Amino acid sequence: MVHSYGYRAGTRDLFSKKYKKRGMPNLTRYLTNFKAGDYVDVVGDPAIQKSLPHKVYHGKTGIVWNVTPRALGVIVNKRVGPRIIRKRINVRVEHVRKSKCQDDLKARVANNIALQKAGKKRVKRTPAGVPRTASIVKKTKTIVDLRPEFFDPLKAYKV
């Protein structure tokens, strides 16, 4: 078989829906309000072929710069060789969902504003894994000598 280079080449698993999730999208997808400056995730819906984004943009997060009745203009970063180019793509509403990448930041900012009004110190981000405190490791058993042994074939095989 010859390899094809079409627009949807190599997207058998990428543009396939999960088990029991097939069919047309719900009305909430169409009734979602988008504004310029919103962060959105570009996720192609294979049930709608119109304005399906290229596989390069599938799963990317971008910023809305243009809103039309049925589509959005999204600025997405695309890696081309060693550089990253900001691409402006037009995508229908079915292939876009609001991103949750800023939820943690917005909650932390609101919490810090409330703490500032109360006169308390603001909370900084904490790393996911807190490092353990320093301690001295004591040996429980005798340490075995693990230096390499050199193989001498004359001693191993008596000729």
Side-chain angles (χ1 to χ4, degrees):
M1 294 268 301
V2 181
H3 178 61
S4 62
Y5 296 97
Y7 193 76
R8 292 180 68 169
T11 60
R12 181 177 186 168
D13 295 325
L14 188 70
F15 288 146
S16 63
K17 289 195 168 189
K18 292 194 167 102
Y19 179 64
K20 291 193 176 179
K21 299 286 181 187
R22 302 186 187 281
M24 301 306 281
N26 294 332
L27 279 177
T28 53
R29 181 117 34 117
Y30 294 97
L31 298 175
T32 307
N33 291 325
F34 294 100
K35 292 180 280 195
D38 285 350
Y39 282 85
V40 293
D41 296 329
V42 179
V43 181
D45 188 353
I48 313 293
Q49 283 84 32
K50 273 191 176 181
S51 186
L52 185 69
H54 192 264
K55 61 186 174 185
V56 172
Y57 306 109
H58 185 79
K60 295 271 194 280
T61 301
I63 302 171
V64 176
W65 67 276
N66 187 23
V67 180
T68 61
R70 288 185 193 87
L72 298 173
V74 182
I75 298 174
V76 182
N77 289 336
K78 180 182 179 184
R79 189 182 185 102
V80 181
R83 62 195 187 277
I84 296 174
I85 301 173
R86 300 185 77 183
K87 302 282 285 190
R88 289 177 180 236
I89 59 171
N90 292 315
V91 184
R92 279 178 80 102
V93 180
E94 296 94 332
H95 308 295
V96 163
R97 65 177 172 222
K98 286 206 172 186
S99 181
K100 296 180 181 176
C101 65
Q102 295 282 303
D103 289 353
D104 183 42
L105 174 73
K106 288 178 182 176
R108 208 168 61 244
V109 167
N111 187 21
N112 283 337
I113 290 170
L115 287 172
Q116 190 177 9
K117 286 182 181 176
K120 295 181 181 176
K121 196 173 182 181
R122 69 185 184 96
V123 179
K124 290 188 176 181
R125 253 190 320 178
T126 56
V130 180
R132 290 181 284 174
T133 56
S135 61
I136 298 171
V137 179
K138 295 180 180 176
K139 71 173 190 174
T140 54
K141 298 179 182 176
T142 57
I143 299 171
V144 180
D145 190 20
L146 295 176
R147 279 181 269 173
E149 293 181 22
F150 295 104
F151 181 72
D152 190 7
L154 295 175
K155 287 183 180 177
Y157 304 107
K158 299 198 180 199
V159 181

